[in-house]
Amino acid sequence: MAAERWEPAAFRERVDAVLHAFVAEEAGRLTAIDPVLGPVAGELEAAVAAGKRLRAAFCYWGWRAAGQPDSAALVRAAAAMELVHAAAVVHDDLIDDSPLRHGRPTAQVALRAAVRGRPRAKNAARSLALLVGDLLMSLAGQLFATSGLPAAYLGRARPLWAALARDLVAGECLEILHTGGVPDTAASLKVIRYKTAKYTVEQPLLIGGALAGAGGRLRAGYSAYGLPLGEAFQLRDDLLGLFGEPERTGKAAADDVRGRRPTALLAETWRLAGEAERAELDALLGRSGPKGAAGDGVRAVRALMRRLKAPDRVEAMIADRVAQALDAVDELALPAPAAAALTDLAHSATTRLS
């Protein structure tokens, strides 16, 4: 990895090694308090078991593009971005009441076994999952602070951590407040920007840049690249959520439409629909959404969206945002390895099947 060529698989292995060792140690400390905490510790480890490690990669290249060399301490700091993501996933699954993530039961489902037969067992499992998410966010800060980077470097990035947490919470709150309302593309894109785009791409880049002492022009370029790319990443996720294969995505199909969440896909469908088609969509979604992941209601929603070419519209939005991100890379005239890596990441983040 010290070589100049960007090797995503090798980088993921480095990040995985950091995460697995760090979280295993923390899980051991938890069970040392009381063995009954074993299932909770198990969910901590499950939360970081796998992943694309995109957030860590963006943090790493925010550092490298500013002229800094490869660094094991920086990889540890970058791995903290993945703990933020793990925390956000646990909380998001709770908010959405999702049963599956990465093909396995979500934390609040898996933890039901630990409280089976207890009063209000389902609520107890949800409470345990909430605390798992909270602990993961705390551990993110701990891993970052103990990464081994100089204190002066870490101090430069500290204000960005506060912004990351605030924006992430704002995005989740916006999604909750807009769920079930009249679909609106502008509102959906704001949810995407704050809930996903900023903490997935822009803020990891900015944190890596701050650690490296990046100048104002470079930081502005990171935002010009990161915001549209982060939006494209989530727009792809919205399409996969309804039109992807659950075997690949690892998530229950049609969760978004069932929950009437404010996705850009639903908003564009509504915008393109006429009066009769809006009435049809309202009838299909009903008060609580279509029943069954593969039910007739979900198939009818997909058919209506295809008829209105809403997926095509979202694909065009993705392509436009990827082009904006790549233009930003070109304008920055980065060192060749950084430009190549950020270009590769732009494509891999938005052309995925899961």
Side-chain angles (χ1 to χ4, degrees):
M1 191 61 206
E4 291 299 295
R5 185 182 172 199
W6 170 230
E7 297 178 354
F11 180 78
R12 284 195 299 272
E13 288 178 5
R14 293 177 79 188
V15 173
D16 282 347
V18 169
L19 287 173
H20 296 165
F22 177 77
V23 174
E25 185 175 355
E26 291 299 323
R29 288 173 176 160
L30 199 60
T31 55
I33 295 171
D34 195 309
V36 76
L37 293 170
V40 177
E43 287 306 305
L44 277 181
E45 294 192 86
V48 299
K52 301 174 184 68
R53 311 311 187 200
L54 289 172
R55 293 154 189 87
F58 286 121
C59 184
Y60 177 85
W61 284 105
W63 163 273
R64 291 294 308 278
Q68 293 283 7
D70 179 74
S71 159
L74 188 279
V75 171
R76 285 180 60 82
M81 303 294 104
E82 297 300 327
L83 288 171
V84 172
H85 176 54
V89 164
V90 171
H91 287 153
D92 195 49
D93 287 341
L94 270 171
I95 292 166
D96 295 341
D97 200 23
S98 298
L100 289 175
R101 173 77 67 162
H102 299 310
R104 67 176 297 274
T106 51
Q108 75 266 21
V109 174
L111 286 165
R112 289 176 190 171
V115 291
R116 188 172 290 121
R118 310 288 176 84
R120 303 179 68 210
K122 185 175 180 180
N123 285 341
R126 290 178 61 83
S127 297
L128 289 173
L130 174 65
L131 294 167
V132 168
D134 290 348
L135 183 52
L136 285 164
M137 186 63 84
S138 174
L139 292 177
Q142 181 183 338
L143 179 58
F144 189 79
T146 60
S147 61
L149 289 171
Y153 289 26
L154 297 172
R156 291 195 294 252
R158 189 168 293 117
L160 294 173
W161 272 87
L164 182 155
R166 181 183 62 246
D167 290 345
L168 181 53
V169 169
E172 283 284 9
C173 290
L174 285 171
E175 182 177 66
I176 292 167
L177 292 166
H178 286 296
T179 291
V182 176
D184 177 81
T185 300
S188 295
L189 289 174
K190 180 173 277 190
V191 169
I192 283 173
R193 173 164 288 202
Y194 284 90
K195 182 188 171 189
T196 302
K198 290 173 96 43
Y199 99 90
T200 296
V201 186
E202 184 202 24
Q203 285 161 332
L205 275 168
L206 289 173
I207 287 171
L211 292 169
R217 179 177 177 274
L218 185 54
R219 294 196 305 270
Y222 286 169
S223 291
Y225 168 90
L227 283 172
L229 182 59
E231 290 177 1
F233 174 88
Q234 184 57 44
L235 289 168
R236 173 63 62 206
D237 208 55
D238 290 347
L239 283 174
L240 289 170
L242 187 55
F243 293 97
E245 300 174 15
E247 305 80 37
R248 286 183 178 271
T249 65
K251 294 184 284 188
D255 267 4
D256 289 339
V257 293
R258 185 179 296 109
R260 297 196 69 151
R261 293 170 199 146
T263 65
L265 176 60
L266 180 59
E268 282 297 287
T269 302
W270 188 262
R271 185 183 68 81
L272 295 165
E275 186 177 340
E277 290 157 331
R278 287 183 177 182
E280 180 185 355
L281 187 60
D282 263 338
L284 286 169
L285 294 177
R287 188 175 293 273
S288 59
K291 305 295 184 182
D296 291 341
V298 171
R299 283 194 289 269
V301 169
R302 290 190 186 110
L304 176 61
M305 288 178 168
R306 287 191 178 107
R307 192 163 74 242
L308 292 169
K309 299 190 182 303
D312 294 342
R313 172 59 189 149
V314 174
E315 288 285 3
M317 293 165 72
I318 292 170
D320 177 64
R321 283 159 173 77
V322 172
Q324 290 179 47
L326 295 178
D327 285 346
V329 171
D330 290 341
E331 289 176 13
L332 283 171
L334 297 171
L342 291 175
T343 298
D344 179 70
L345 284 164
H347 292 300
S348 62
T350 56
T351 58
R352 67 194 197 281
L353 297 175
S354 64

